[in-house]
Amino acid sequence: MSMLLEVSGVSVSFDGFRAINNLSINFAPAELRAIIGPNGAGKTTFMDIVTGKTKPDEGHVIWGDKNISLLGMSESQIAREGIGRKFQKPTVFEDQTVRQNLAMALKNPRGPFAVLTHKKTAKNGARIEAIADEIGLLDSLTRPAGELSHGQKQWLEIGMLLAQDPRLLLVDEPAAGMTVEEREKTTDILRRAAETRAVVVVEHDMEFVRRLNCKVTVLHEGSVLAEGNLDHVTSNQQVIDVYLGRSHA
Ligand SMILES: Nc1ncnc2c1ncn2[C@@H]1O[C@H](COP(=O)(O)OP(=O)(O)O)[C@@H](O)[C@H]1O
Ligand SMILES: [Mg+2]
């Protein structure tokens, strides 16, 4: 199977410190992947590189069926290619309802048919409801986003990203600040989203990662230390030494 995203030999230094060190990591078109590793391992910097926020000093970042390089592209070009990113802090419009937030996200479509969307207004209602259902907010469509719980705001933001129909969704530490029930619901949302696209989740919470039930990549000092299912990587002695054996909260 050809890969959706191929990162190979990527390095980036900040003031002489190699935050990413000859990193190679690949993602298939529809897969769920967890990335774990100690603080400072380069997890967020990896996402910065894929989204074009940080340009690597060396290496390749190859995207899609046409094997195009993302390195020459701006952040907005990369977003239009279908790479969505969810940051830790939710950035929904608090004064707007859930429906309005989702409608706004639908109005800025990416892709070649964007100009035709004014003809699609009737379809938008159904699409908004389908997304709201997917993120568990169908009963909250008329509520202002500001009234939602922290977890619900996170789901709304995931929904706003799904409205853009990304082929790759990058999610940085979604479980932080969530209740146990919200965490469980979030794993369900991410697993479902990954049925039709690649979803890459950075997360420290091991229970959360276990529930994701997917391939895990362990980053350490800017490279891949181990990769495989969670039991495989957590029984790796190096992973225990650099990550699991320490407090990393
Ligand atoms: N813009 C930057 N300028 C300087 N140093 C940075 C920058 N971004 C990240 N770093 C450093 O790179 C290393 C990796 O950081 P980061 O990717 O945030 O790690 P993680 O997300 O795995 O905790 C850290 O040592 C961090 O201080
Ligand atoms: Mg980080």
Side-chain angles (χ1 to χ4, degrees):
M1 178 170 44
S2 100
M3 286 292 153
L4 178 65
L5 181 70
E6 294 184 36
V7 172
S8 60
V10 164
S11 297
V12 65
S13 296
F14 301 111
D15 304 320
F17 173 75
R18 268 199 177 213
I20 296 290
N21 185 12
N22 196 23
L23 174 67
S24 296
I25 184 169
N26 297 326
F27 303 92
E31 79 160 303
L32 181 59
R33 178 80 60 88
I35 298 183
I36 63 175
N39 279 326
K43 303 181 298 294
T44 298
T45 305
F46 155 74
M47 291 192 173
D48 290 342
I49 289 169
V50 173
T51 54
K53 188 178 172 204
T54 296
K55 292 297 172 190
D57 303 322
E58 53 191 88
H60 302 280
V61 180
I62 304 296
W63 167 254
D65 321 312
K66 293 179 187 147
N67 293 322
I68 55 175
S69 172
L70 296 182
L71 294 183
M73 291 190 196
S74 68
E75 286 185 72
S76 58
Q77 282 174 315
I78 290 172
R80 282 197 298 275
E81 280 292 322
I83 298 181
R85 178 180 194 176
K86 174 161 177 2
F87 289 91
Q88 272 172 263
K89 200 170 179 287
T91 52
V92 299
F93 297 94
E94 306 243 331
D95 297 338
Q96 308 281 313
T97 65
V98 169
R99 180 186 289 281
Q100 287 168 328
N101 270 279
L102 291 172
M104 271 185 284
L106 274 179
K107 267 198 191 135
N108 301 302
R110 59 176 191 87
F113 304 110
V115 290
L116 300 177
T117 40
H118 63 277
K119 296 177 185 166
K120 292 189 190 161
T121 313
K123 279 189 186 164
N124 277 2
R127 178 105 167 89
I128 287 168
E129 275 151 41
I131 294 167
D133 188 32
E134 201 170 335
I135 58 176
L137 293 178
L138 194 52
D139 296 337
S140 303
L141 278 170
T142 58
R143 290 175 67 195
E147 284 182 7
L148 301 175
S149 72
H150 171 74
Q152 288 174 320
K153 284 180 192 170
Q154 299 277 23
W155 302 335
L156 177 55
E157 196 177 11
I158 291 170
M160 290 166 75
L161 287 162
L162 293 177
Q164 307 272 320
D165 201 19
R167 295 179 67 195
L168 169 65
L169 182 58
L170 303 168
V171 187
D172 204 351
E173 302 198 23
M178 284 190 180
T179 65
V180 172
E181 296 79 54
E182 286 174 340
R183 286 171 194 220
E184 291 185 358
K185 185 89 195 275
T186 304
T187 56
D188 295 342
I189 291 169
L190 294 173
R191 283 169 55 88
R192 182 161 165 199
E195 288 171 8
T196 49
R197 60 178 57 79
V199 177
V200 177
V201 185
V202 166
E203 187 50 65
H204 278 299
D205 182 329
M206 282 298 157
E207 269 316 300
F208 190 93
V209 174
R210 184 165 295 283
R211 274 185 65 93
L212 286 176
N213 190 27
C214 65
K215 184 170 169 184
V216 178
T217 299
V218 185
L219 281 196
H220 175 56
E221 295 180 345
S223 338
V224 173
L225 182 64
E227 202 164 72
N229 68 38
L230 186 62
D231 288 333
H232 172 78
V233 300
T234 56
S235 60
N236 177 307
Q237 190 58 47
Q238 281 181 294
V239 174
I240 294 167
D241 290 345
V242 305
Y243 183 49
L244 299 172
R246 295 186 187 179
S247 141
H248 52 265

